[in-house]
Amino acid sequence: MSTSVFQILLLLVSLKLQASGAALGLAKPNCPETCGNVTIPFPFGIGAGCFFEEWYQIVCKQNNMVPILKKIGLRVLNISLPDVDVDGIINISLPIIYSKGCGGDGHAAGVSLKGSQFVFSQKRNVFTLVGCNTLAIVDTTKSAFAGCRSRCAAPNTSISWNGNCSRRDDCCQTRLPLNLQGFRVDFKEESGHQGCKYAFLRSDFTALYDLKVNETVPVVLEWGIANDTNYGRELIRQSKTYYPSVCSTRNVDNSEMLFTQCYCTWEYGGNPYLMEGCKGDAPQLRSDCAETCGSVTIPFPFGIRAGCFLDDWYQIVCEQNHTVPILKKIRLQVLNISLPDKDVDGMINVSLPVIYSNACRRGDGRGATVSLKGSQFVFSKKRNIFTVVGCNTLVTANSTKSDVFGCQSKCAGTNFTISKYSACSGEDGCCQSSLPLNLQGFGVDFKEEDGHEGCKLNDTVPVVLEWGIASNNKYALDLIRQKYDDESFSCTRVKSSAYAYGVRARYRGYSGNSDEMLFMQCYCRWGYRGNAYVVKGCKGNIFHAITLGI
């Protein structure tokens, strides 16, 4: 094959060719837990006896699809419970406030939260004004106020905001006072610029385009529970015992809150606002889970049937007459799955498509590989290599983080022939590069040099993924607690000797470094066999049996 025939990327060539039980209850017993696609955790609730008090009452409208916070009549987009790093928040849909040039009176009122245990989040919202040469002041329900002044660069500037905002583009933004519970807006036009002006609070994670009057925008409220109620005092008392919850009146940035927020400690899940609501129970596995698909063994946390895999990243579908296992979340064929041991990481071999340049029959030269973001899988740095096949080509791979890697191939002569099975030196139409640590996805840029184009190859290549389970996963942390009275297994998240989570365990060496993994791996200790990811899954002390002469 001549040097002008193809320019192709062979990606990540291998160097070594849900146990989901019943969900933890977040609502009060016998109360609806969802409205549409929104989960409603206590102290919020739907129906009499299901909410703590009227500020937390949710009514489910439009055929039980749209949750409304009844006290203020606004739509709820999401409710989240606090944890050790994140405040409890409720996302609501808040109307835009507009000037008299839009048909209003220029003093439209926002929402008042006074008397509640809600505040407009200072760090997650911004006050935004759209309009030329206008001063907008937010008069809060207290003595504090905030505002900003917009400018237009030219007298005839047309207002069409694309989501970016500075003081010279008919838009301005400012942060809110701490613990804001209500406001009104005053518009003051300057330099004769009249017409419609918009002002609104919005989540600073939300981009807005070409706003229209009478629309709403998402806003973030922080929430908690009053600490001067009997129930609030009981939650605080419970958290000061050995019960696994923490209650605090301090924000995650250590600022003072107007209310108490509670969260379950890191080894537990559930709802800390329910008495004894923090749970750490392991999911219950089915007893009839299929263990193979074709010639591939499927160990837990992977599984085929509902109730046989830990979560949807580990779900396997068995296709082509039950002979071909497919990792459903990313639609890649599974070639092998291995459990970790004390010397070897857990691995899953998958078949990954080649990415090719724009000289191929299809592809634009910037093809993306599969993304593993959000999973407990990474492309193995130790067992894969990034490979380019093609003459005089520079290929750069941009990871889903800030890492960039790649290589540059050369051809020794004008009639040089190459094969994907050739040895690779960088001067033979092929080059290779190692991967960054914990790589979970990337895209590719091709840069052709000296006019070498062409492509006739299309293929897949075996790739090695390292895998584990999330170290803060309820199931994983139940395994760790099991370790206190079970010496048959160890769990690790670093690749050298160390201690983790206060649990003494044997940690394996890994090429002399102590890189931290993104996940936890568990293995049966020497003398035991089985699956360390299954509770009590490591069986049989072989050494003990031998010493007894059994």
Side-chain angles (χ1 to χ4, degrees), residues 122-144:
Q122 182 185 44
K123 64 188 173 200
R124 295 182 178 88
N125 296 310
V126 291
F127 172 76
T128 303
L129 164 68
V130 179
C132 279
N133 299 340
T134 301
L135 174 65
I137 299 293
V138 178
D139 294 317
T140 73
T141 51
K142 296 185 178 181
S143 59

Side-chain angles (χ1 to χ4, degrees), residues 442-461:
F442 54 91
V444 174
D445 289 331
F446 294 87
K447 184 178 181 181
E448 299 171 350
E449 300 176 344
D450 301 326
H452 286 274
E453 297 181 356
C455 176
K456 289 187 177 179
L457 184 57
N458 189 13
D459 207 348
T460 60
V461 288

Side-chain angles (χ1 to χ4, degrees), residues 38-350:
V38 178
T39 299
I40 312 297
F42 186 81
F44 299 89
I46 303 170
C50 292
F51 50 89
F52 177 56
E53 47 102 337
E54 61 180 354
W55 277 101
Y56 303 92
Q57 183 178 2
I58 302 290
V59 289
C60 202
K61 296 187 174 182
Q62 296 184 25
N63 295 321
N64 297 320
M65 295 299 294
V66 178
I68 303 295
L69 199 56
K70 183 178 181 180
K71 182 76 172 180
I72 53 179
L74 295 179
R75 180 172 183 171
V76 175
L77 306 177
N78 183 61
I79 303 173
S80 67
L81 293 167
D83 64 27
V84 65
D85 298 312
V86 181
D87 298 316
I89 59 176
I90 176 171
N91 296 75
I92 61 172
S93 188
L94 192 67
I96 293 171
I97 297 173
Y98 44 90
S99 69
K100 59 185 179 182
C102 305
D105 61 4
H107 296 276
V111 172
S112 175
L113 305 175
K114 189 175 181 180
S116 77
Q117 304 303 312
F118 308 149
V119 297
F120 293 100
S121 176
Q122 182 185 44
K123 64 188 173 200
R124 295 182 178 88
N125 296 310
V126 291
F127 172 76
T128 303
L129 164 68
V130 179
C132 279
N133 299 340
T134 301
L135 174 65
I137 299 293
V138 178
D139 294 317
T140 73
T141 51
K142 296 185 178 181
S143 59
F145 68 89
C148 66
R149 175 179 278 112
S150 66
R151 299 292 189 189
C152 285
N156 296 321
T157 299
S158 59
I159 300 175
S160 181
W161 185 41
N162 64 1
N164 297 317
C165 190
S166 70
R167 293 181 181 274
R168 303 294 296 174
D169 60 2
D170 65 58
C171 175
C172 65
Q173 296 185 147
T174 188
R175 289 288 175 181
L176 306 180
L178 185 64
N179 291 329
L180 179 65
Q181 288 196 302
F183 61 93
R184 293 173 62 90
V185 175
D186 287 332
F187 297 91
K188 295 183 179 180
E189 298 174 341
E190 300 177 341
S191 304
H193 278 272
Q194 299 181 356
C196 188
K197 315 291 195 305
Y198 303 97
F200 45 89
L201 300 186
R202 71 178 180 93
S203 163
D204 59 3
F205 299 110
T206 304
L208 303 172
Y209 300 89
D210 297 328
L211 295 173
K212 305 296 183 184
V213 177
N214 296 326
E215 288 190 353
T216 59
V217 289
V219 172
V220 178
L221 308 180
E222 295 173 9
W223 65 273
I225 192 167
N227 53 16
D228 59 354
T229 63
N230 289 336
Y231 192 81
R233 284 190 288 266
E234 185 64 16
L235 288 175
I236 294 172
R237 185 203 63 76
Q238 177 181 254
S239 72
K240 293 180 178 179
T241 67
Y242 289 106
Y243 184 74
S245 68
V246 175
C247 291
S248 174
T249 58
R250 288 280 174 179
N251 207 311
V252 292
D253 62 3
N254 205 36
S255 58
E256 185 76 19
M257 296 183 291
L258 297 179
F259 40 74
T260 295
Q261 288 198 337
C262 299
Y263 60 89
C264 298
T265 55
W266 59 266
E267 68 268 39
Y268 286 80
N271 187 341
Y273 293 101
L274 293 171
M275 300 305 297
E276 299 185 357
C278 294
K279 306 293 184 182
D281 297 334
Q284 301 299 310
L285 301 183
R286 297 172 62 120
S287 60
D288 57 348
C289 294
E291 295 184 350
T292 61
C293 176
S295 61
V296 179
T297 300
I298 312 296
F300 183 79
F302 298 90
I304 298 173
R305 300 179 63 180
C308 294
F309 48 88
L310 183 60
D311 65 44
D312 57 359
W313 278 100
Y314 302 92
Q315 184 177 3
I316 302 290
V317 290
C318 200
E319 299 184 349
Q320 298 183 27
N321 293 322
H322 306 288
T323 61
V324 177
I326 302 294
L327 200 55
K328 183 178 180 181
K329 184 82 170 180
I330 51 179
R331 295 301 306 171
L332 293 180
Q333 181 177 348
V334 175
L335 306 176
N336 183 61
I337 303 174
S338 66
L339 292 167
D341 64 28
K342 66 183 181 65
D343 299 312
V344 180
D345 297 314
M347 294 179 290
I348 176 170
N349 295 69
V350 297

